[in-house]
């Protein structure tokens, strides 16, 4: 495997790093504290081509590979994981699903503005009684002539109130279980489509997370993605790619934790010397750096396999499982290295821990990743 990034990858990394440092960093602490959505920052990410990175240019995207996306996701999340998850959902779940499975009409109408960053998307699978058990869908879509009537509730939806378009999974034939689930494109403002209260979260606080409420929402048949009954397969195949994005987000948080620890340990003195000279601190830094690099290699491998058109589900699950674990561990170690200062907001590392924890939960918990990995191993 060639571990050297090409010139395009290096350019993407530098552009994302500079934008995150110069623009996103200015407001991330205030947005976290006040739970403010990064409207301007996301708009600018769209203008840079970062909201539809893997979409072909003919549909408004940048036409880049998955590795470019991973590199950009790490750099953005290194500064602000809230911007990272917004970018991840639009790229990995919404644009990817529409590009791979949407009709030409759907691509022209919905994918084009999403990939251009002019519109924002959301992905609605989870329900109050359907989290890890995603087959237990209670949202119903009943066909009536040229449209479906949609009723139900979705929760934990990232970009919920800010999204212009939402990909919604719903039962069209409950008697068929998972094979009776279909996928639909629902537009913001459709009569009967409303929102629940905004969730107050431990971390990624400036991202928008809400419940979506559907009461007799009329969705055109033309807005169904694939055939009836394709929805569950659509969701699972889309989430495979999404796990790579969340692994990259976790990677960014972990790297930020190491960066902060290195800087602080060189400045903070104890026993008449910088604490970086103490072996206890050096070992922590060495372990963090090693584990982060291992997580990076797993994440890159999954992205490269996806780009090569090879099966990547097991590797994506491994990357998410390991990178999310290392994000939490690195943030905890960063707090420990900072001592009392790590426990206060001024030094940022407490935010890294709050942001890191969700990477072990959303788009498939760590327990679900272990199921995916073990099934792949036993099948092989």
């Amino acid at each position: 495997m060639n571990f050297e990034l090409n010139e395009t990858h290096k350019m993407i990394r530098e552009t994302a790093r500079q934008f995150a440092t110069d623009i996103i960093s200015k407001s991330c602490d205030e947005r976290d504290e006040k739970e403010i959505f990064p409207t301007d920052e996301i708009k600018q990410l769209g203008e840079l081509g970062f909201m539809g990175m893997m979409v072909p240019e003919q549909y408004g995207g940048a036409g880049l590979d998955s590795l470019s996306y991973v590199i950009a996701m790490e750099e953005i999340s290194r500064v602000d994981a809230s911007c990272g998850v917004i970018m991840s959902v639009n790229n990995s779940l919404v644009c990817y699903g529409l590009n791979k499975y949407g009709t030409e009409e759907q691509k022209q109408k919905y994918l084009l503005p999403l990939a251009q960053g002019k519109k924002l998307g959301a992905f609605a699978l989870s329900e109050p009684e359907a989290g890890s058990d995603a087959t237990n869908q209670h949202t119903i879509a009943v066909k009536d002539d040229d449209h479906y009537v949609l009723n139900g509730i979705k929760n934990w939806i990232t970009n919920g109130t800010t999204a212009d378009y939402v990909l919604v999974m719903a039962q069209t034939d409950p008697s068929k279980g998972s094979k009776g689930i279909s996928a639909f494109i629902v537009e913001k403002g459709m009569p009967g489509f409303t929102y629940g209260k905004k969730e107050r979260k431990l971390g990624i606080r400036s991202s928008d997370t809400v419940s979506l409420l559907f009461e007799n929402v009329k969705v055109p048949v033309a807005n169904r993605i694939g055939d009836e009954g394709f929805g569950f397969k659509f969701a699972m195949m889309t989430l495979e790619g999404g796990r790579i994005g969340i692994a990259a987000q976790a990677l960014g948080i972990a790297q930020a934790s190491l960066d902060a620890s290195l800087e602080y340990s060189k400045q903070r003195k104890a026993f008449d010397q910088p604490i970086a000279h103490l072996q206890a601190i050096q070992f922590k830094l060495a372990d963090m750096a090693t584990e982060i690099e291992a997580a990076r290699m797993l994440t890159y491998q999954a992205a490269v396999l996806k780009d090569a058109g090879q099966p990547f589900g097991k590797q994506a699950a491994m990357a998410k499982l390991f990178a999310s674990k290392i994000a939490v561990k690195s943030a905890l170690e960063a707090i420990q290295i900072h001592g009392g200062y790590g426990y206060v907001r001024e030094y940022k590392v407490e935010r890294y821990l709050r942001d890191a924890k969700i990477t072990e939960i959303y788009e498939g918990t760590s327990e679900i990743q272990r199921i995916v990995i073990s099934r792949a191993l036993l099948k092989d």
Side-chain angles (χ1 to χ4, degrees):
M1 180 178 177
N2 182 9
F3 292 95
E4 180 67 23
L5 298 179
N6 64 33
E7 291 305 313
T8 298
H9 295 142
K10 291 176 182 177
M11 181 191 70
I12 292 293
R13 182 174 61 189
E14 183 58 33
T15 301
R17 182 176 296 178
Q18 185 173 350
F19 178 76
T21 302
D22 295 347
I23 305 298
I24 294 177
S25 66
K26 292 180 181 179
S27 61
C28 60
D29 290 333
E30 181 183 8
R31 287 188 286 99
D32 171 71
E33 183 174 353
K34 297 180 180 179
E35 302 182 30
I36 300 170
F37 188 83
T39 303
D40 291 340
E41 290 81 359
I42 296 302
K43 180 182 178 182
Q44 291 177 69
L45 279 172
E47 292 170 351
L48 287 170
F50 285 168
M51 296 302 284
M53 294 187 69
M54 298 169 286
V55 176
E57 293 181 14
Q58 70 185 98
Y59 296 120
L64 295 166
D65 59 14
S66 298
L67 185 55
S68 297
Y69 166 60
V70 163
I71 291 167
M73 267 293 297
E74 178 184 347
E75 293 299 332
I76 299 301
S77 301
R78 193 173 181 176
V79 171
D80 184 7
S82 291
C83 282
V85 72
I86 296 164
M87 175 179 159
S88 176
V89 168
N90 204 73
N91 273 280
S92 296
L93 302 184
V94 182
C95 285
Y96 172 78
L98 286 174
N99 181 56
K100 189 168 180 65
Y101 302 107
T103 64
E104 183 63 27
E105 180 185 356
Q106 289 169 351
K107 291 178 182 180
Q108 293 293 340
K109 185 176 181 180
Y110 299 112
L111 179 59
L112 194 65
L114 285 165
Q116 291 173 332
K118 296 178 179 178
K119 299 290 184 181
L120 188 64
F123 185 87
L125 176 64
S126 295
E127 296 184 2
E129 296 182 26
S132 293
D133 180 12
T135 62
N136 192 30
Q137 297 285 305
H138 292 291
T139 299
I140 300 290
V142 178
K143 193 173 182 182
D144 183 9
D145 196 24
D146 63 348
H147 64 270
Y148 287 84
V149 179
L150 189 64
N151 283 280
I153 300 173
K154 297 290 181 179
N155 67 343
W156 314 121
I157 308 304
T158 302
N159 301 346
T161 62
T162 47
D164 300 282
Y165 313 130
V166 184
L167 306 189
V168 180
M169 310 312 129
Q171 281 282 7
T172 46
D173 189 346
S175 68
K176 294 182 179 179
S178 64
K179 294 183 179 179
I181 298 170
S182 301
F184 301 91
I185 305 166
V186 180
E187 297 182 27
K188 186 176 188 176
M190 282 183 168
F193 176 19
T194 57
Y195 313 105
K197 67 178 179 64
K198 181 179 179 181
E199 303 293 351
R200 303 202 66 191
K201 307 188 296 289
L202 173 71
I204 56 168
R205 285 161 53 88
S206 74
S207 69
D208 171 22
T209 307
V210 297
S211 295
L212 305 182
L213 313 176
F214 304 97
E215 186 175 357
N216 296 323
V217 180
K218 291 184 177 181
V219 182
V221 170
N223 282 32
R224 189 186 67 218
I225 302 172
D227 297 329
E228 275 198 5
F230 178 65
F232 185 72
K233 185 177 181 181
F234 167 79
M236 294 302 102
M237 293 179 73
T238 300
L239 284 169
E240 274 192 348
R243 287 168 186 152
I244 299 175
I246 299 304
Q249 181 194 29
L251 189 57
I253 298 169
Q255 186 64 53
S257 299
L258 176 59
D259 293 343
S261 298
L262 284 166
E263 182 179 358
Y264 181 80
S265 66
K266 292 175 183 178
Q267 297 173 354
R268 174 68 171 174
K269 289 187 176 182
F271 310 106
D272 298 322
Q273 61 181 328
I275 63 171
H277 292 178
L278 302 175
Q279 191 178 70
I281 301 300
Q282 292 174 351
F283 280 12
K284 287 182 183 293
L285 296 172
D287 286 346
M288 289 168 72
T290 301
E291 290 164 343
I292 290 168
E293 199 59 38
R296 184 173 288 114
M297 290 299 99
L298 277 172
T299 306
Y300 280 18
Q301 181 193 36
V304 169
L305 285 172
K306 181 171 179 283
D307 288 333
Q310 297 181 32
F312 64 92
K314 180 180 72 174
Q315 284 77 12
M318 286 178 168
K320 183 184 183 297
L321 174 64
F322 189 70
S324 62
K325 177 182 178 180
I326 297 310
V328 173
K329 184 179 179 182
S330 297
L332 281 169
E333 288 287 46
I335 291 173
Q336 193 70 18
I337 290 169
H338 281 70
Y341 292 107
Y343 206 69
V344 298
R345 293 197 171 189
E346 181 183 353
Y347 280 77
K348 299 182 187 295
V349 289
E350 60 84 31
R351 171 163 65 86
Y352 300 154
L353 178 60
R354 290 189 289 106
D355 287 348
K357 183 57 193 174
I358 191 60
T359 65
E360 293 187 307
I361 298 173
Y362 58 19
E363 294 195 33
T365 63
S366 293
E367 291 72 22
I368 290 295
Q369 304 314 312
R370 290 185 174 96
I371 291 173
V372 171
I373 295 163
S374 61
R375 284 178 178 172
L377 290 172
L378 292 168
K379 184 178 179 181
D380 291 343

